[in-house]
mmCIF file of all heavy atoms in Angstrom:
data_model
loop_
_atom_site.group_PDB
_atom_site.id
_atom_site.type_symbol
_atom_site.label_atom_id
_atom_site.label_comp_id
_atom_site.label_asym_id
_atom_site.label_seq_id
_atom_site.Cartn_x
_atom_site.Cartn_y
_atom_site.Cartn_z
ATOM 1 N N GLU A 1 101.522 106.793 103.093
ATOM 2 C CA GLU A 1 101.329 107.839 102.039
ATOM 3 C C GLU A 1 102.668 108.508 101.754
ATOM 4 O O GLU A 1 103.559 108.537 102.609
ATOM 5 C CB GLU A 1 100.305 108.926 102.559
ATOM 6 C CG GLU A 1 100.803 109.646 103.808
ATOM 7 C CD GLU A 1 99.757 110.692 104.270
ATOM 8 O OE1 GLU A 1 98.683 110.819 103.691
ATOM 9 O OE2 GLU A 1 100.081 111.375 105.334
ATOM 10 N N PHE A 2 102.818 108.984 100.517
ATOM 11 C CA PHE A 2 104.050 109.654 100.109
ATOM 12 C C PHE A 2 103.677 110.920 99.407
ATOM 13 O O PHE A 2 103.058 110.884 98.302
ATOM 14 C CB PHE A 2 104.978 108.758 99.206
ATOM 15 C CG PHE A 2 106.228 109.439 98.810
ATOM 16 C CD1 PHE A 2 107.161 109.762 99.791
ATOM 17 C CD2 PHE A 2 106.479 109.697 97.500
ATOM 18 C CE1 PHE A 2 108.331 110.360 99.406
ATOM 19 C CE2 PHE A 2 107.727 110.314 97.118
ATOM 20 C CZ PHE A 2 108.623 110.668 98.056
ATOM 21 N N ASN A 3 103.959 112.069 100.030
ATOM 22 C CA ASN A 3 103.555 113.380 99.485
ATOM 23 C C ASN A 3 104.843 114.297 99.415
ATOM 24 O O ASN A 3 105.041 115.180 100.301
ATOM 25 C CB ASN A 3 102.569 114.067 100.406
ATOM 26 C CG ASN A 3 101.268 113.239 100.443
ATOM 27 O OD1 ASN A 3 100.615 112.936 99.508
ATOM 28 N ND2 ASN A 3 100.902 112.820 101.685
ATOM 29 N N PRO A 4 105.596 114.061 98.354
ATOM 30 C CA PRO A 4 106.852 114.899 98.210
ATOM 31 C C PRO A 4 106.558 116.374 97.988
ATOM 32 O O PRO A 4 105.460 116.698 97.381
ATOM 33 C CB PRO A 4 107.546 114.203 97.053
ATOM 34 C CG PRO A 4 106.430 113.661 96.248
ATOM 35 C CD PRO A 4 105.432 113.169 97.187
ATOM 36 N N THR A 5 107.426 117.183 98.405
ATOM 37 C CA THR A 5 107.279 118.612 98.211
ATOM 38 C C THR A 5 108.562 119.201 97.604
ATOM 39 O O THR A 5 109.475 118.422 97.257
ATOM 40 C CB THR A 5 107.067 119.322 99.553
ATOM 41 O OG1 THR A 5 108.265 119.305 100.322
ATOM 42 C CG2 THR A 5 105.939 118.696 100.322
ATOM 43 N N GLY A 6 108.624 120.480 97.384
ATOM 44 C CA GLY A 6 109.842 121.104 96.891
ATOM 45 C C GLY A 6 110.937 121.157 97.984
ATOM 46 O O GLY A 6 112.036 121.471 97.643
ATOM 47 N N ARG A 7 110.603 120.755 99.151
ATOM 48 C CA ARG A 7 111.588 120.751 100.264
ATOM 49 C C ARG A 7 112.114 119.392 100.660
ATOM 50 O O ARG A 7 113.192 119.276 101.262
ATOM 51 C CB ARG A 7 110.973 121.426 101.482
ATOM 52 C CG ARG A 7 110.742 122.918 101.374
ATOM 53 C CD ARG A 7 110.283 123.573 102.624
ATOM 54 N NE ARG A 7 110.303 125.046 102.588
ATOM 55 C CZ ARG A 7 109.207 125.704 102.213
ATOM 56 N NH1 ARG A 7 108.103 125.124 101.934
ATOM 57 N NH2 ARG A 7 109.271 127.018 102.181
ATOM 58 N N GLN A 8 111.297 118.363 100.473
ATOM 59 C CA GLN A 8 111.698 116.987 100.915
ATOM 60 C C GLN A 8 111.106 115.932 100.068
ATOM 61 O O GLN A 8 110.015 116.069 99.499
ATOM 62 C CB GLN A 8 111.496 116.770 102.394
ATOM 63 C CG GLN A 8 110.027 116.818 102.719
ATOM 64 C CD GLN A 8 109.639 116.114 104.084
ATOM 65 O OE1 GLN A 8 109.929 114.918 104.248
ATOM 66 N NE2 GLN A 8 109.115 116.796 105.006
ATOM 67 N N GLY A 9 111.713 114.755 100.053
ATOM 68 C CA GLY A 9 111.225 113.594 99.323
ATOM 69 C C GLY A 9 111.421 112.316 100.150
ATOM 70 O O GLY A 9 111.117 112.291 101.332
ATOM 71 N N VAL A 10 112.031 111.291 99.524
ATOM 72 C CA VAL A 10 112.122 109.975 100.085
ATOM 73 C C VAL A 10 112.908 110.015 101.442
ATOM 74 O O VAL A 10 112.596 109.277 102.388
ATOM 75 C CB VAL A 10 112.790 109.000 99.147
ATOM 76 C CG1 VAL A 10 113.098 107.698 99.824
ATOM 77 C CG2 VAL A 10 111.940 108.769 97.949
ATOM 78 N N TYR A 11 113.973 110.812 101.574
ATOM 79 C CA TYR A 11 114.757 110.784 102.747
ATOM 80 C C TYR A 11 114.164 111.550 103.943
ATOM 81 O O TYR A 11 114.670 111.326 105.037
ATOM 82 C CB TYR A 11 116.190 111.293 102.366
ATOM 83 C CG TYR A 11 116.826 110.527 101.325
ATOM 84 C CD1 TYR A 11 117.065 111.060 100.131
ATOM 85 C CD2 TYR A 11 117.213 109.175 101.593
ATOM 86 C CE1 TYR A 11 117.645 110.277 99.069
ATOM 87 C CE2 TYR A 11 117.769 108.427 100.560
ATOM 88 C CZ TYR A 11 117.970 108.999 99.311
ATOM 89 O OH TYR A 11 118.593 108.230 98.370
ATOM 90 N N GLY A 12 113.205 112.398 103.736
ATOM 91 C CA GLY A 12 112.493 112.957 104.860
ATOM 92 C C GLY A 12 113.127 114.160 105.570
ATOM 93 O O GLY A 12 112.527 114.679 106.591
ATOM 94 N N GLY A 13 114.269 114.582 105.117
ATOM 95 C CA GLY A 13 114.855 115.785 105.704
ATOM 96 C C GLY A 13 115.062 115.717 107.248
ATOM 97 O O GLY A 13 115.002 116.764 107.973
ATOM 98 N N TYR A 14 115.382 114.579 107.748
ATOM 99 C CA TYR A 14 115.577 114.397 109.186
ATOM 100 C C TYR A 14 114.372 114.775 110.121
ATOM 101 O O TYR A 14 114.492 115.039 111.296
ATOM 102 C CB TYR A 14 116.782 115.151 109.713
ATOM 103 C CG TYR A 14 118.115 114.747 109.127
ATOM 104 C CD1 TYR A 14 118.778 115.561 108.243
ATOM 105 C CD2 TYR A 14 118.637 113.513 109.408
ATOM 106 C CE1 TYR A 14 119.991 115.180 107.664
ATOM 107 C CE2 TYR A 14 119.874 113.061 108.853
ATOM 108 C CZ TYR A 14 120.505 113.896 107.969
ATOM 109 O OH TYR A 14 121.703 113.517 107.402
ATOM 110 N N GLN A 15 113.188 114.747 109.507
ATOM 111 C CA GLN A 15 111.987 115.254 110.220
ATOM 112 C C GLN A 15 111.421 114.089 110.995
ATOM 113 O O GLN A 15 111.640 112.895 110.724
ATOM 114 C CB GLN A 15 110.960 115.834 109.272
ATOM 115 C CG GLN A 15 111.473 117.037 108.561
ATOM 116 C CD GLN A 15 111.956 118.111 109.439
ATOM 117 O OE1 GLN A 15 111.184 118.757 110.176
ATOM 118 N NE2 GLN A 15 113.239 118.384 109.409
ATOM 119 N N ASN A 16 110.657 114.472 112.020
ATOM 120 C CA ASN A 16 109.821 113.390 112.765
ATOM 121 C C ASN A 16 108.808 112.814 111.805
ATOM 122 O O ASN A 16 108.476 113.477 110.766
ATOM 123 C CB ASN A 16 109.209 114.032 113.997
ATOM 124 C CG ASN A 16 110.185 114.439 115.014
ATOM 125 O OD1 ASN A 16 111.175 113.755 115.258
ATOM 126 N ND2 ASN A 16 109.952 115.543 115.739
ATOM 127 N N TRP A 17 108.232 111.627 112.176
ATOM 128 C CA TRP A 17 107.243 111.005 111.244
ATOM 129 C C TRP A 17 106.187 111.935 110.849
ATOM 130 O O TRP A 17 105.755 111.956 109.683
ATOM 131 C CB TRP A 17 106.792 109.732 111.904
ATOM 132 C CG TRP A 17 107.723 108.558 111.744
ATOM 133 C CD1 TRP A 17 108.409 107.940 112.735
ATOM 134 C CD2 TRP A 17 107.944 107.873 110.572
ATOM 135 N NE1 TRP A 17 109.148 106.868 112.257
ATOM 136 C CE2 TRP A 17 108.937 106.829 110.865
ATOM 137 C CE3 TRP A 17 107.587 108.037 109.249
ATOM 138 C CZ2 TRP A 17 109.442 105.986 109.948
ATOM 139 C CZ3 TRP A 17 108.130 107.156 108.321
ATOM 140 C CH2 TRP A 17 108.999 106.193 108.607
ATOM 141 N N ILE A 18 105.673 112.708 111.785
ATOM 142 C CA ILE A 18 104.492 113.509 111.414
ATOM 143 C C ILE A 18 104.759 114.585 110.374
ATOM 144 O O ILE A 18 103.916 115.075 109.612
ATOM 145 C CB ILE A 18 103.869 114.210 112.671
ATOM 146 C CG1 ILE A 18 102.470 114.618 112.425
ATOM 147 C CG2 ILE A 18 104.788 115.321 113.143
ATOM 148 C CD1 ILE A 18 101.704 115.048 113.655
ATOM 149 N N ASP A 19 105.994 114.952 110.159
ATOM 150 C CA ASP A 19 106.426 116.035 109.260
ATOM 151 C C ASP A 19 107.166 115.453 108.049
ATOM 152 O O ASP A 19 107.686 116.259 107.218
ATOM 153 C CB ASP A 19 107.353 117.000 109.991
ATOM 154 C CG ASP A 19 106.631 117.685 111.090
ATOM 155 O OD1 ASP A 19 105.509 118.078 110.901
ATOM 156 O OD2 ASP A 19 107.205 117.947 112.218
ATOM 157 N N ARG A 20 107.122 114.164 107.815
ATOM 158 C CA ARG A 20 107.871 113.568 106.731
ATOM 159 C C ARG A 20 106.949 113.473 105.509
ATOM 160 O O ARG A 20 105.740 113.410 105.615
ATOM 161 C CB ARG A 20 108.342 112.174 107.025
ATOM 162 C CG ARG A 20 109.449 112.077 108.109
ATOM 163 C CD ARG A 20 109.785 110.673 108.506
ATOM 164 N NE ARG A 20 110.240 109.964 107.281
ATOM 165 C CZ ARG A 20 111.495 109.763 106.957
ATOM 166 N NH1 ARG A 20 112.466 110.352 107.626
ATOM 167 N NH2 ARG A 20 111.875 109.016 105.914
ATOM 168 N N ALA A 21 107.595 113.493 104.273
ATOM 169 C CA ALA A 21 106.839 113.378 103.067
ATOM 170 C C ALA A 21 106.209 111.974 102.993
ATOM 171 O O ALA A 21 105.099 111.765 102.509
ATOM 172 C CB ALA A 21 107.740 113.623 101.793
ATOM 173 N N GLY A 22 106.935 110.984 103.453
ATOM 174 C CA GLY A 22 106.462 109.596 103.541
ATOM 175 C C GLY A 22 106.084 109.256 104.957
ATOM 176 O O GLY A 22 106.941 109.320 105.910
ATOM 177 N N ARG A 23 104.853 108.858 105.176
ATOM 178 C CA ARG A 23 104.390 108.556 106.550
ATOM 179 C C ARG A 23 103.506 107.312 106.536
ATOM 180 O O ARG A 23 102.782 107.038 105.583
ATOM 181 C CB ARG A 23 103.451 109.677 107.117
ATOM 182 C CG ARG A 23 104.054 111.045 107.103
ATOM 183 C CD ARG A 23 103.256 112.067 107.825
ATOM 184 N NE ARG A 23 101.951 112.331 107.200
ATOM 185 C CZ ARG A 23 101.100 113.236 107.518
ATOM 186 N NH1 ARG A 23 101.467 114.056 108.508
ATOM 187 N NH2 ARG A 23 99.958 113.432 106.980
ATOM 188 N N PHE A 24 103.632 106.466 107.599
ATOM 189 C CA PHE A 24 102.719 105.408 107.758
ATOM 190 C C PHE A 24 101.421 105.922 108.332
ATOM 191 O O PHE A 24 101.368 106.828 109.115
ATOM 192 C CB PHE A 24 103.290 104.393 108.802
ATOM 193 C CG PHE A 24 104.604 103.732 108.359
ATOM 194 C CD1 PHE A 24 105.728 103.763 109.087
ATOM 195 C CD2 PHE A 24 104.707 103.154 107.052
ATOM 196 C CE1 PHE A 24 106.913 103.225 108.722
ATOM 197 C CE2 PHE A 24 105.881 102.569 106.627
ATOM 198 C CZ PHE A 24 106.978 102.648 107.392
ATOM 199 N N ARG A 25 100.310 105.308 107.862
ATOM 200 C CA ARG A 25 98.947 105.691 108.256
ATOM 201 C C ARG A 25 98.170 104.550 108.695
ATOM 202 O O ARG A 25 98.428 103.407 108.332
ATOM 203 C CB ARG A 25 98.298 106.472 107.088
ATOM 204 C CG ARG A 25 98.970 107.681 106.517
ATOM 205 C CD ARG A 25 99.086 108.783 107.663
ATOM 206 N NE ARG A 25 97.822 109.098 108.294
ATOM 207 C CZ ARG A 25 96.920 109.946 107.772
ATOM 208 N NH1 ARG A 25 97.209 110.607 106.620
ATOM 209 N NH2 ARG A 25 95.748 110.196 108.356
ATOM 210 N N SER A 26 97.052 104.828 109.408
ATOM 211 C CA SER A 26 96.098 103.808 109.824
ATOM 212 C C SER A 26 95.423 103.307 108.529
ATOM 213 O O SER A 26 95.282 104.014 107.489
ATOM 214 C CB SER A 26 95.049 104.330 110.827
ATOM 215 O OG SER A 26 95.675 104.493 112.046
ATOM 216 N N LEU A 27 94.946 102.122 108.539
ATOM 217 C CA LEU A 27 94.306 101.453 107.367
ATOM 218 C C LEU A 27 93.143 102.312 106.837
ATOM 219 O O LEU A 27 92.232 102.742 107.611
ATOM 220 C CB LEU A 27 93.856 100.051 107.695
ATOM 221 C CG LEU A 27 94.916 98.987 107.890
ATOM 222 C CD1 LEU A 27 94.285 97.646 108.175
ATOM 223 C CD2 LEU A 27 95.765 98.923 106.629
ATOM 224 N N GLY A 28 93.229 102.581 105.497
ATOM 225 C CA GLY A 28 92.225 103.444 104.906
ATOM 226 C C GLY A 28 92.527 104.854 104.847
ATOM 227 O O GLY A 28 91.887 105.605 104.076
ATOM 228 N N ASP A 29 93.554 105.339 105.597
ATOM 229 C CA ASP A 29 93.922 106.785 105.594
ATOM 230 C C ASP A 29 95.039 107.023 104.704
ATOM 231 O O ASP A 29 95.396 108.289 104.573
ATOM 232 C CB ASP A 29 94.213 107.185 107.048
ATOM 233 C CG ASP A 29 92.992 107.088 107.977
ATOM 234 O OD1 ASP A 29 91.898 106.996 107.527
ATOM 235 O OD2 ASP A 29 93.269 107.077 109.216
ATOM 236 N N GLY A 30 95.655 106.112 104.184
ATOM 237 C CA GLY A 30 96.790 106.322 103.287
ATOM 238 C C GLY A 30 96.527 106.105 101.796
ATOM 239 O O GLY A 30 95.325 106.265 101.371
ATOM 240 N N GLN A 31 97.507 105.828 100.997
ATOM 241 C CA GLN A 31 97.396 105.747 99.599
ATOM 242 C C GLN A 31 97.478 104.330 99.018
ATOM 243 O O GLN A 31 97.420 104.138 97.782
ATOM 244 C CB GLN A 31 98.509 106.602 98.922
ATOM 245 C CG GLN A 31 98.479 108.057 99.291
ATOM 246 C CD GLN A 31 99.673 108.854 98.914
ATOM 247 O OE1 GLN A 31 100.681 108.258 98.608
ATOM 248 N NE2 GLN A 31 99.620 110.140 99.007
ATOM 249 N N VAL A 32 97.674 103.319 99.845
ATOM 250 C CA VAL A 32 97.843 102.009 99.344
ATOM 251 C C VAL A 32 96.577 101.486 98.725
ATOM 252 O O VAL A 32 95.478 101.608 99.296
ATOM 253 C CB VAL A 32 98.300 100.990 100.481
ATOM 254 C CG1 VAL A 32 98.373 99.618 99.992
ATOM 255 C CG2 VAL A 32 99.668 101.416 101.043
ATOM 256 N N ASP A 33 96.716 100.911 97.530
ATOM 257 C CA ASP A 33 95.533 100.261 96.824
ATOM 258 C C ASP A 33 95.269 98.833 97.312
ATOM 259 O O ASP A 33 95.752 97.904 96.655
ATOM 260 C CB ASP A 33 95.855 100.336 95.302
ATOM 261 C CG ASP A 33 94.699 99.750 94.453
ATOM 262 O OD1 ASP A 33 93.630 99.374 95.034
ATOM 263 O OD2 ASP A 33 94.870 99.685 93.201
ATOM 264 N N PHE A 34 94.596 98.741 98.410
ATOM 265 C CA PHE A 34 94.439 97.437 99.018
ATOM 266 C C PHE A 34 93.436 96.569 98.202
ATOM 267 O O PHE A 34 93.533 95.361 98.276
ATOM 268 C CB PHE A 34 93.969 97.589 100.460
ATOM 269 C CG PHE A 34 95.055 97.867 101.335
ATOM 270 C CD1 PHE A 34 95.175 99.181 101.965
ATOM 271 C CD2 PHE A 34 96.040 96.937 101.707
ATOM 272 C CE1 PHE A 34 96.250 99.447 102.802
ATOM 273 C CE2 PHE A 34 97.095 97.235 102.599
ATOM 274 C CZ PHE A 34 97.222 98.486 103.138
ATOM 275 N N LYS A 35 92.502 97.176 97.462
ATOM 276 C CA LYS A 35 91.604 96.383 96.693
ATOM 277 C C LYS A 35 92.386 95.561 95.601
ATOM 278 O O LYS A 35 92.173 94.365 95.464
ATOM 279 C CB LYS A 35 90.578 97.242 95.954
ATOM 280 C CG LYS A 35 89.507 97.740 96.893
ATOM 281 C CD LYS A 35 88.427 98.517 96.048
ATOM 282 C CE LYS A 35 87.304 99.018 96.967
ATOM 283 N NZ LYS A 35 86.510 97.924 97.580
ATOM 284 N N SER A 36 93.346 96.203 95.007
ATOM 285 C CA SER A 36 94.169 95.524 94.041
ATOM 286 C C SER A 36 95.068 94.470 94.718
ATOM 287 O O SER A 36 95.324 93.408 94.130
ATOM 288 C CB SER A 36 95.038 96.493 93.235
ATOM 289 O OG SER A 36 94.181 97.308 92.422
ATOM 290 N N ILE A 37 95.602 94.852 95.891
ATOM 291 C CA ILE A 37 96.525 93.891 96.600
ATOM 292 C C ILE A 37 95.728 92.597 96.973
ATOM 293 O O ILE A 37 96.229 91.487 96.739
ATOM 294 C CB ILE A 37 97.117 94.515 97.832
ATOM 295 C CG1 ILE A 37 98.196 95.588 97.388
ATOM 296 C CG2 ILE A 37 97.716 93.491 98.797
ATOM 297 C CD1 ILE A 37 98.666 96.388 98.567
ATOM 298 N N PHE A 38 94.542 92.751 97.572
ATOM 299 C CA PHE A 38 93.824 91.614 98.012
ATOM 300 C C PHE A 38 93.379 90.773 96.750
ATOM 301 O O PHE A 38 93.347 89.529 96.808
ATOM 302 C CB PHE A 38 92.676 91.985 98.867
ATOM 303 C CG PHE A 38 92.944 92.171 100.251
ATOM 304 C CD1 PHE A 38 93.439 93.366 100.763
ATOM 305 C CD2 PHE A 38 92.738 91.115 101.183
ATOM 306 C CE1 PHE A 38 93.723 93.515 102.109
ATOM 307 C CE2 PHE A 38 93.082 91.244 102.532
ATOM 308 C CZ PHE A 38 93.587 92.440 103.001
ATOM 309 N N SER A 39 93.080 91.419 95.659
ATOM 310 C CA SER A 39 92.781 90.714 94.428
ATOM 311 C C SER A 39 93.967 89.830 93.940
ATOM 312 O O SER A 39 93.781 88.695 93.532
ATOM 313 C CB SER A 39 92.335 91.689 93.294
ATOM 314 O OG SER A 39 91.141 92.359 93.655
ATOM 315 N N LYS A 40 95.199 90.450 93.998
ATOM 316 C CA LYS A 40 96.306 89.713 93.494
ATOM 317 C C LYS A 40 96.601 88.565 94.462
ATOM 318 O O LYS A 40 97.060 87.480 94.022
ATOM 319 C CB LYS A 40 97.509 90.650 93.411
ATOM 320 C CG LYS A 40 97.515 91.544 92.088
ATOM 321 C CD LYS A 40 98.787 92.319 91.926
ATOM 322 C CE LYS A 40 98.748 93.057 90.585
ATOM 323 N NZ LYS A 40 98.818 92.160 89.452
ATOM 324 N N MET A 41 96.485 88.814 95.718
ATOM 325 C CA MET A 41 96.794 87.721 96.676
ATOM 326 C C MET A 41 95.775 86.608 96.455
ATOM 327 O O MET A 41 96.177 85.385 96.566
ATOM 328 C CB MET A 41 96.586 88.256 98.123
ATOM 329 C CG MET A 41 97.678 89.324 98.465
ATOM 330 S SD MET A 41 99.375 88.740 98.358
ATOM 331 C CE MET A 41 99.855 88.788 100.053
#
């Protein structure tokens, strides 16, 4: 997921993963459109 704020964006402000605008998530908990990906594959 990528949730930019007025304080941080792509670079993450040197924060740990849990406090970054961009974070990896368990499957289904993030923003990736897997239905479209599997369709294209």
Side-chain angles (χ1 to χ4, degrees):
E1 63 184 359
F2 183 62
N3 299 302
T5 69
R7 291 188 170 91
Q8 62 159 301
V10 171
Y11 300 112
Y14 296 112
Q15 300 305 293
N16 293 323
W17 278 111
I18 198 168
D19 297 317
R20 291 174 62 92
R23 306 189 295 192
F24 299 127
R25 298 299 307 275
S26 288
L27 288 179
D29 294 343
Q31 298 168 348
V32 176
D33 180 2
F34 282 109
K35 285 186 179 295
S36 293
I37 288 174
F38 275 85
S39 293
K40 282 189 178 289
M41 297 298 247

